[in-house]
């Protein structure tokens, strides 16, 4: 009887420990949920003397010939094999980029917003098929769920253009940033026509993740910035990452300036549209994006099964290979899967790729909008990653094509 009693106590204690680890994302030994050590400081160690020479030749050519201006990181099997900076942070002041330079991530932000939403789902605080009206009763569209927002199937209009038209026609203050809650109030007040009925088709636009940012704030009672800092950035060890909104900051406290139209003459000043967050608004470094990749692989943020769900194609394949999951673009081929996201906003242009099979991470963050990121095929081949190129940057470049 005593032995049985001891066994029951031991089993209960083990179960309690398992639940505790699941809730916190790590155990007392500092190991991630999957049991693998996770040390961001060690992950970020890199000696330029050991730089991959072929990748360096490729990047030097991309900078000099194709005009890439930005930072790059390439990692294989959890180890950085190449990292470098090319060009100016701000051409006007002749400030050079550094590896610690923070870039406005543009739509790469969506990968982290999606991760935050899946955290809340794991905790039972939301359901993916909950209607937006449960959080915002005056939301003017029926049938829009969290799942449809995550997959860009809501049918919503693009709030960027809708809000921009109102600000210009009513001569509102364009220097003060709009909050997510204010954007939601404007949608409720003006009831702009939607593009399509919910779940009719895939239509990428920023409204979906701006609304998700508003839902995160509504559910948690925290600002999006505070929630992301506490539940994404800190657990992942992303010490150079933050949310900066023009609704909070008169001047965004970073040194990297976006430049548009492939010209140094067109430096982009932030305005009211840099207020809403969730669809954009996270500022980070190439190193911290690598750490985010590794934190996900180590189970520090959401469970592996939850990630599998996020990386599952939720839309019909485009060109046989490309789709969208929960906050991630997806490339699939026989025996291959790359989850990635592009970004294009106010002079910033990026691509962030994670090869799940070959364990390759590629990060290119740029602050000069040009066609340089259309010429990465050789880089993909050098690393063993499939060639991932859908022509994501062929549009006007404001929002719809990022």
């Amino acid at each position: 009887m005593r032995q049985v009693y001891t066994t029951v106590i031991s089993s209960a204690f083990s179960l309690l420990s398992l639940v505790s680890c699941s809730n916190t994302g790590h155990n007392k030994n500092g190991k991630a949920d999957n049991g693998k050590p996770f040390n961001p400081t060690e992950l970020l160690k890199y000696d330029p003397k050991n730089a991959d020479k072929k990748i360096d030749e490729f990047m030097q050519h991309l900078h000099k010939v194709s005009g890439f201006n930005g930072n790059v990181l390439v990692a294989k099997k959890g180890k950085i094999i190449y990292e470098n900076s090319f060009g100016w942070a701000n051409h006007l002041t002749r400030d050079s980029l550094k590896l610690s330079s923070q870039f406005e991530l543009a739509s790469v932000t969506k990968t982290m917003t999606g991760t935050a939403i899946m955290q809340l789902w794991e905790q039972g605080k939301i359901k993916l098929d909950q209607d937006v009206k449960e959080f915002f009763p005056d939301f003017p569209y029926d049938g829009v769920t969290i799942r449809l927002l995550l997959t860009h199937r809501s049918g919503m209009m693009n709030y960027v253009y809708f809000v921009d038209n109102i600000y210009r026609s009513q001569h509102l203050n364009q220097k003060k940033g709009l909050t997510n809650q204010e954007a939601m109030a404007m949608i409720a007040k003006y009831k702009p026509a939607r593009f399509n009925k919910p779940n009719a088709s895939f239509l990428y636009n920023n409204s979906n993740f701006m609304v998700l940012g508003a839902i995160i704030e509504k559910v948690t009672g925290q600002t999006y910035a505070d929630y992301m800092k506490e539940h994404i950035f800190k657990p992942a060890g992303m010490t150079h990452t933050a949310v900066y909104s023009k609704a909070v900051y008169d001047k965004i406290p970073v040194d990297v300036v976006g430049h548009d139209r492939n010209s140094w003459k067109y430096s982009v000043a932030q305005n009211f549209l840099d207020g809403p967050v969730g669809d954009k608004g996270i500022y980070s470094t190439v190193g911290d994006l690598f750490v985010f990749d590794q934190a996900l692989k180590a189970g520090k943020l959401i469970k592996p099964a939850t990630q599998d769900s996020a990386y599952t194609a939720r839309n019909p394949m485009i060109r046989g290979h490309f789709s969208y999951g929960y906050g991630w673009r997806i490339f699939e081929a026989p025996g291959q899967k790359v989850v990635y996201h592009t970004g294009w906003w106010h002079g910033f242009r990026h691509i962030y790729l994670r090869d799940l099979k070959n364990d390759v991470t590629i990060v290119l963050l740029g602050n000069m909008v040009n066609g340089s990121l259309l010429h990465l095929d050789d880089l993909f081949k050098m690393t063993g990653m499939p060639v991932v190129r859908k022509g994501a940057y062929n549009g006007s470049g404001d929002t719809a094509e990022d």
Side-chain angles (χ1 to χ4, degrees), residues 82 140 261 323 357 360:
Y82 186 77
R261 308 182 209 177
S323 187
K357 179 188 176 185
V360 177

Side-chain angles (χ1 to χ4, degrees), residues 267-281:
S267 58
V268 182
Q270 288 115 355
N271 63 13
F272 62 101
L273 289 172
D274 292 285
V277 292
D279 55 327
K280 48 183 169 43

Side-chain angles (χ1 to χ4, degrees), residues 176-180 225 242-253 271-272 274-277 281-283:
K176 176 64 176 175
L178 185 75
T179 68
N180 288 55
V243 176
Y244 295 130
S245 165
K246 274 287 286 182
V248 178
Y249 295 88
D250 290 333
K251 182 183 183 304
I252 302 297
N271 63 13
F272 62 101
D274 292 285
V277 292
I282 292 178
Y283 288 70

Side-chain angles (χ1 to χ4, degrees), residues 184-312:
M184 294 297 288
M186 289 180 71
I187 291 171
K189 178 180 178 180
Y190 293 98
K191 301 176 177 58
R194 61 190 185 191
F195 287 141
N196 208 340
K197 64 181 181 180
N199 208 26
S201 63
F202 173 80
L203 180 65
Y204 181 94
N205 86 64
N206 280 347
S207 293
N208 297 303
F209 279 73
M210 183 280 291
V211 175
L212 288 173
I215 289 174
I216 289 171
E217 293 184 331
K218 195 83 167 185
V219 169
T220 66
Q222 295 179 278
T223 64
Y224 175 84
D226 286 344
Y227 181 88
M228 298 303 285
K229 180 179 180 180
E230 182 178 344
H231 297 279
I232 300 292
F233 307 152
K234 280 189 175 180
M238 300 167 68
T239 57
H240 294 88
T241 304
V243 176
Y244 295 130
S245 165
K246 274 287 286 182
V248 178
Y249 295 88
D250 290 333
K251 182 183 183 304
I252 302 297
V254 298
D255 297 326
V256 184
V257 176
H259 300 84
D260 213 351
R261 308 182 209 177
N262 196 23
S263 173
W264 293 114
K265 293 188 297 183
Y266 296 103
S267 58
V268 182
Q270 288 115 355
N271 63 13
F272 62 101
L273 289 172
D274 292 285
V277 292
D279 55 327
K280 48 183 169 43
I282 292 178
Y283 288 70
S284 190
T285 65
V286 291
D288 269 14
L289 284 175
F290 172 54
V291 169
F292 177 56
D293 161 72
Q294 293 295 300
L296 285 167
K297 289 174 179 173
K300 287 287 288 183
L301 302 174
I302 53 177
K303 299 172 185 176
T306 305
Q307 292 183 61
D308 290 343
S309 181
Y311 307 151
T312 298

Side-chain angles (χ1 to χ4, degrees), residues 161 260 344-348 369 393-402:
Y161 302 125
D260 213 351
W344 190 341
W345 177 253
H346 281 184
F348 291 94
V369 172
Y393 295 128
N394 289 340
S396 62
D398 291 323
T399 57
E401 299 296 330
D402 68 353

Side-chain angles (χ1 to χ4, degrees), residues 56 76 88 104 114 169 190 192-193 213-214 220 241-242 250 253 301 303-304 322 325 328 340 346 362 378 399:
D56 186 55
K76 293 189 73 171
W88 306 109
E104 152 67 276
S169 63
Y190 293 98
T220 66
T241 304
D250 290 333
L301 302 174
K303 299 172 185 176
F322 297 90
W328 294 94
Y340 71 105
H346 281 184
I362 297 176
D378 287 343
T399 57

